[in-house]
Amino acid sequence: QVQLVESGGGLVQPEGSLKLSCKASDNIFNYNTMRWYRQAPGKERDLVATMTVGGTTHYSVSAKGRFTMSRDGTKNTVYLQMTSLKPEDTAVYYCFANILTRQYWGQGTQVTVSA
């Protein structure tokens, strides 16, 4: 059973930075894509960043230029480096992976941006 475990969330001040981690229970190169989503209270879950197995990354409009997705295959971990954080970035951030149509989700990690 594939498991994704996020960590690194917390409280940060506006304009601060935070780095999220998502550790997979197996080889991350088994997955077609790995992604970060986020869900703010009362809102739908939105895609933030995607990384393909080949290493190509895509970002949402709100994330582009501020967030960077990376990976470390030796640790079976993907990361989301977030900078210039804004209060509207406050949300639960979820890690996602897929192998064709099979989808896997982490439990989420809370990010709160507040003074």
Side-chain angles (χ1 to χ4, degrees):
Q1 179 71 16
V2 173
Q3 288 188 325
L4 303 173
V5 180
E6 301 99 332
S7 61
L11 175 64
V12 62
Q13 293 187 340
E15 295 305 314
S17 299
L18 210 56
K19 188 174 184 177
L20 306 182
S21 300
C22 170
K23 183 170 177 58
S25 58
D26 65 347
N27 189 338
I28 60 173
F29 294 103
N30 289 336
Y31 307 123
N32 297 116
T33 70
M34 294 193 75
R35 309 175 195 174
W36 287 97
Y37 285 81
R38 68 185 183 187
Q39 187 167 21
K43 295 190 176 181
E44 294 185 352
R45 191 170 296 188
D46 292 328
L47 178 61
V48 176
T50 300
M51 179 176 280
T52 68
V53 65
T56 302
T57 52
H58 303 276
Y59 300 95
S60 67
V61 171
S62 62
K64 201 167 188 177
R66 299 188 300 128
F67 295 1
T68 302
M69 186 173 180
S70 62
R71 66 187 177 189
D72 185 340
T74 66
K75 297 180 180 179
N76 290 327
T77 300
V78 295
Y79 304 95
L80 186 68
Q81 175 70 56
M82 304 185 292
T83 63
S84 301
L85 283 162
K86 307 173 183 179
E88 49 264 44
D89 294 316
T90 295
V92 177
Y93 283 71
Y94 295 92
C95 183
F96 167 98
N98 77 292
I99 302 173
L100 299 179
T101 59
R102 285 177 288 165
Q103 300 180 355
Y104 308 96
W105 291 90
Q107 82 289 350
T109 186
Q110 176 70 46
V111 172
T112 302
V113 184
S114 175

